Amino acid sequence: MELKTLIRLGGFFKPYKFILLISIIASVLYGLFNAASLWIVGTLIANLFGSSTFDNYDIDSLIGKINYFFSNLISSGSQIEQLKMICIFLFITFLFKNIFYYINWVSVSYIQLNIIKNLRNKFYSKIQQFSLQFFDKNKTGEILSIMLNDINWIKVAFNKSLQVFINELISILILVYMLFLISPILTLLILCTVPISAFLILKISQSIKRKVKRASLKIADISSYAEEKIIGIKIVKAFNMAKNEISNFFNENHKFFQLEFRHQRLYGLTTPINDIIGVTLGVFLLWYGGQEVLIYNKMSSDDFMRFIIFLFAMLQPARKLGNSIATIQTGLASAERLFEMTDQPFTKLNEENLGRINGFKKKIQIKNLNFSYSKNSKNILSNINLTIKKGEKVALVGSSGSGKTTLTSLLLRFYNYNNGDITIDDKSYNEINTKSVRNLIGLVTQEPILFNDTIKNNITYGSENIKDKQIEEAAKIAKIDDFISSLDLKYETIIGERGSLLSGGQKQRLSIARAIIKNPPILVFDEATSSLDSQSEKKVQEAIDNLVKDRTVIMIAHRLTTIKNVDKIVVLEEGSIKEIGSHEELLNKNGYYSKLYNIQFRENNE
């Protein structure tokens, strides 16, 4: 699983191969100048203590050639002259070392920030392509948690690991090579401790990954919980549940704290483990190497001094490398969550090769249609057969759960039906690009869906190249122009989240203006007036009457008074069509519709 996730993340590097190459070259040069600066520091110390730095070396060996190079570079004059040249070249090596470090840092930062941007873009694009079944099965808070929290964890992992792996790993390899040149035996002793350190870090990292995944799931739950209660804040306050909700949130947040604290406790172990192993190794090498110099004369004091300098210079990048392995596990856990979400089988089919329909001329036909939300669940709609002619006004009637909203959702192709077919002008939905179908249909929902944007942008949402005069005309038809004109910023007024600064009637008339701007030949209404007061209902009904002229209308009716004059009433019960006819025809049948009518009106003297 980890390897598969790493390979998928690695695919995001492809567009930045050239920049990655630059960063690697800069990292190699940084490592070489770093090694050179350390060598010069060792030379400086030896010079200060009067040690013969360049004498008695085998010129044929690599280490002898390095010393010969520095001998010529620094000159063989007096010690003060050598000190002067050492200081000059020490400054030069540190200058170039840091120049290449900065080049590496900028190039790696450019890559990692672009990858995070692309991951977030791809994730958002992917969820926009999912069918509504995806959103039925996944909580909004969880989706947002992945897009914000998990992708941010991946960013943290990149920040702390990509830089380390490109920069520090190359530095470690160069430093190990230098150590090997000075003393192969001591270097092999050092390398023997690597498997121990790697094993401990790997075990800790795997545990960190598990805990991060649990923490990610918990923060998703918290996000969903908070979002739900904030949206429903009126009910929370109306039922005096604020204290309970605060207590519940505190409990959930405490559980998240415990998960995060366990993660941080483990993560904090990586540095002490590396340091303890490092200092143990350092003490051992000081003792062993000191005997090699002082007792057995197998190593010069200069070499031993350089060996210790290179060794301790290597400990810091080694520590960073160990920490980055733990951080990578955090990023991998988040990446797995992200890919698990995007790999869900709810993506729309590729419709590039499907035909388009550019207008509505004759009729919509629903033939033997069956639908369920999942393979193993009961059918929501069963054997639906219905013809809706151009220009007809059709009402869908039935008790809650009878399948009215599901049927309109299928007309808008929010879901793929199981079997049967829907055709428009004798063209099957399966042969038509979904986008072209939705271009023909305007939707006005019972609860208006508006965005935290200007009135103008909400009205023109989904439409392009709309002139101001058209917007104003749509507002007049929707009976909302007087209200907009009374505002200081008029059409540039921000309406708040979900249109919170508007009344229910104003929101509904604004959504009707949006449908007018779209100018579709087919309109779908989910009873647009059922939740309004009588005054607002009257204005909205007038706006609807203006909108439906010369259009095919399919409306879900909760108040049967609004459908007396429609051409056809379709009565649904438990997902099947029970009756079809006009208002008078269905009353005369004295069937299911008549029963609904009597319950709703005659018992209330209407």
Side-chain angles (χ1 to χ4, degrees):
M1 185 67 176
E2 287 184 12
L3 181 60
K4 185 179 177 182
T5 304
L6 278 170
I7 291 170
R8 287 185 72 171
L9 286 173
F12 286 87
F13 283 87
K14 287 182 181 178
Y16 311 104
K17 288 185 287 189
F18 179 71
I19 299 172
L20 186 62
L21 179 63
I22 291 173
S23 70
I24 291 171
I25 292 170
S27 186
V28 170
L29 292 170
Y30 163 81
L32 291 173
F33 276 99
N34 185 49
S37 67
L38 293 171
W39 195 281
I40 292 172
V41 167
T43 302
L44 173 63
I45 294 170
N47 183 278
L48 290 174
F49 285 97
S51 176
S52 178
T53 309
F54 306 117
D55 296 337
N56 303 320
Y57 280 100
D58 180 8
I59 195 67
D60 293 326
S61 68
L62 182 57
I63 195 167
K65 289 177 181 177
I66 293 172
N67 274 290
Y68 181 75
F69 170 78
F70 278 103
S71 173
N72 289 331
L73 192 68
I74 294 170
S75 84
S76 56
S78 65
Q79 282 188 319
I80 196 67
E81 288 174 344
Q82 289 185 22
L83 179 61
K84 176 184 172 182
M85 294 303 295
I86 286 170
C87 291
I88 291 170
F89 285 109
L90 185 63
F91 175 79
I92 291 171
T93 54
F94 266 84
L95 175 65
F96 279 98
K97 180 180 85 168
N98 283 284
I99 287 172
F100 289 118
Y101 175 83
Y102 182 73
I103 292 171
N104 172 263
W105 175 268
V106 170
S107 55
V108 169
S109 296
Y110 180 83
I111 294 169
Q112 65 192 20
L113 290 174
N114 266 294
I115 288 173
I116 295 302
K117 177 194 72 176
N118 295 339
L119 273 172
R120 191 170 279 123
N121 287 346
K122 187 170 183 179
F123 179 76
Y124 187 76
S125 300
K126 190 80 172 180
I127 62 172
Q128 286 290 340
Q129 293 170 7
F130 283 137
S131 70
L132 285 187
Q133 282 174 299
F134 169 82
F135 298 96
D136 293 339
K137 290 180 177 291
N138 293 279
K139 294 179 284 188
T140 303
E142 185 174 6
I143 296 169
L144 292 175
S145 174
I146 289 174
M147 189 164 68
L148 300 175
N149 296 322
D150 285 282
I151 291 180
N152 190 61
W153 273 116
I154 298 172
K155 177 187 174 184
V156 171
F158 272 131
N159 281 338
K160 292 190 176 180
S161 61
L162 188 61
Q163 183 76 34
V164 168
F165 263 81
I166 291 179
N167 208 4
E168 308 299 348
L169 184 59
I170 291 173
S171 292
I172 289 170
L173 292 174
I174 292 172
L175 291 172
V176 167
Y177 182 67
M178 297 304 293
L179 288 171
F180 195 83
L181 288 177
I182 296 169
S183 176
I185 295 172
L186 290 179
T187 306
L188 288 172
L189 287 172
I190 293 169
L191 295 178
C192 287
T193 64
V194 171
I196 300 170
S197 179
F199 175 78
L200 292 172
I201 296 298
L202 187 62
K203 283 295 180 184
I204 291 171
S205 299
Q206 289 172 341
S207 183
I208 285 172
K209 182 184 172 186
R210 290 193 295 271
K211 286 171 174 56
V212 166
K213 207 160 187 178
R214 289 177 199 146
S216 295
L217 291 170
K218 179 53 66 177
I219 196 64
D221 289 341
I222 290 173
S223 298
S224 295
Y225 181 85
E227 181 190 29
E228 186 178 60
K229 301 309 176 185
I230 290 169
I231 291 171
I233 192 67
K234 288 182 181 178
I235 296 299
V236 171
K237 290 184 177 296
F239 285 84
N240 293 319
M241 289 294 289
K243 188 175 181 180
N244 295 64
E245 297 302 344
I246 291 168
S247 177
N248 290 339
F249 183 85
F250 281 11
N251 288 335
E252 293 300 310
N253 205 25
H254 182 67
K255 291 175 185 176
F256 176 67
F257 156 77
Q258 289 177 316
L259 289 169
E260 279 285 273
F261 185 56
R262 288 172 197 158
H263 160 221
Q264 292 299 325
R265 278 189 313 189
L266 278 172
Y267 185 79
L269 279 174
T270 56
T271 297
I273 285 173
N274 279 325
D275 272 0
I276 289 169
I277 292 173
V279 76
T280 303
L281 185 63
V283 169
F284 171 76
L285 289 175
L286 277 172
W287 173 252
Y288 181 85
Q291 291 182 82
E292 293 286 293
V293 174
L294 299 173
I295 299 174
Y296 304 111
N297 294 319
K298 291 183 179 180
M299 183 187 293
S300 71
S301 59
D302 292 355
D303 277 348
F304 182 62
M305 195 179 303
R306 287 195 186 95
F307 191 91
I308 294 300
I309 290 171
F310 277 108
L311 175 63
F312 280 96
M314 190 182 71
L315 290 180
Q316 185 177 5
R319 185 190 305 121
K320 287 182 180 179
L321 193 63
N323 288 343
S324 71
I325 292 170
T327 308
I328 283 172
Q329 293 298 322
T330 300
L332 282 175
S334 294
E336 284 177 12
R337 284 245 304 149
L338 185 148
F339 292 138
E340 283 169 9
M341 178 70 76
T342 57
D343 289 345
Q344 291 186 42
F346 296 114
T347 312
K348 291 193 307 182
L349 297 175
N350 184 0
E351 298 185 336
E352 292 299 321
N353 298 322
L354 295 181
R356 297 180 61 83
I357 184 163
N358 298 316
F360 177 49
K361 298 174 183 176
K362 295 187 293 183
K363 62 185 176 181
I364 298 170
Q365 274 192 297
I366 302 170
K367 305 173 185 177
N368 303 317
L369 187 71
N370 293 279
F371 174 77
S372 62
Y373 285 104
S374 62
K375 290 181 180 179
N376 300 321
S377 64
K378 180 184 175 184
N379 275 354
I380 304 298
L381 295 173
S382 299
N383 198 33
I384 300 294
N385 287 278
L386 180 63
T387 299
I388 302 169
K389 296 177 182 177
K390 179 179 171 64
E392 271 193 327
K393 310 292 186 286
V394 177
L396 304 179
V397 172
S399 58
S400 178
S402 60
K404 304 184 297 296
T405 299
T406 301
L407 184 55
T408 58
S409 294
L410 292 177
L411 287 172
L412 280 153
R413 202 67 190 274
F414 290 151
Y415 303 94
N416 293 318
Y417 39 83
N418 301 356
N419 48 61
D421 202 5
I422 300 176
T423 65
I424 184 165
D425 289 343
D426 300 321
K427 293 181 180 178
S428 171
Y429 268 28
N430 295 321
E431 299 171 354
I432 306 172
N433 184 285
T434 298
K435 188 176 180 180
S436 68
V437 171
R438 290 177 185 163
N439 282 337
L440 301 176
I441 303 174
L443 175 65
V444 180
T445 56
Q446 182 178 5
E447 180 62 36
I449 298 171
L450 300 172
F451 304 101
N452 187 23
D453 205 338
T454 63
I455 289 174
K456 177 182 177 179
N457 289 341
N458 271 281
I459 291 175
T460 59
Y461 189 78
S463 302
E464 297 178 352
N465 303 319
I466 305 299
K467 296 178 181 178
D468 289 346
K469 192 172 182 180
Q470 291 174 278
I471 298 170
E472 291 169 11
E473 186 62 31
K476 287 178 183 177
I477 296 171
K479 302 292 182 181
I480 190 74
D481 58 314
D482 289 343
F483 166 72
I484 296 172
S485 298
S486 70
L487 299 171
D488 293 338
L489 297 177
K490 298 190 170 41
Y491 287 89
E492 298 301 324
T493 303
I494 302 290
I495 62 172
E497 190 176 10
R498 296 181 179 85
S500 59
L501 302 180
L502 304 178
S503 70
Q506 289 162 352
K507 286 192 282 188
Q508 196 60 276
R509 280 177 280 154
L510 202 60
S511 67
I512 289 169
R514 182 166 60 198
I516 292 167
I517 282 288
K518 186 177 181 180
N519 194 27
I522 303 166
L523 282 169
V524 173
F525 282 95
D526 186 349
E527 184 61 84
T529 62
S530 62
S531 60
L532 303 177
D533 59 78
S534 56
Q535 188 175 358
S536 297
E537 181 182 359
K538 183 180 178 182
K539 288 183 179 180
V540 170
Q541 193 60 54
E542 288 174 1
I544 291 172
D545 292 339
N546 289 334
L547 176 59
V548 300
K549 289 175 183 176
D550 303 320
R551 287 184 171 88
T552 304
V553 179
I554 302 157
M555 62 175 69
I556 296 173
H558 299 287
R559 296 184 182 180
L560 300 187
T561 50
T562 62
I563 61 168
K564 287 182 179 180
N565 299 320
V566 300
D567 300 305
K568 187 187 294 180
I569 297 171
V570 179
V571 184
L572 291 163
E573 183 185 20
E574 295 183 354
S576 299
I577 294 178
K578 191 79 172 175
E579 297 171 328
I580 298 179
S582 67
H583 175 68
E584 293 299 329
E585 287 171 349
L586 293 176
L587 283 181
N588 291 334
K589 278 187 179 180
N590 200 29
Y592 188 69
Y593 177 80
S594 178
K595 180 182 176 183
L596 289 176
Y597 183 81
N598 288 331
I599 292 171
Q600 192 171 132
F601 295 104
R602 291 183 181 171
E603 289 182 359
N604 293 293
N605 298 315
E606 292 190 49

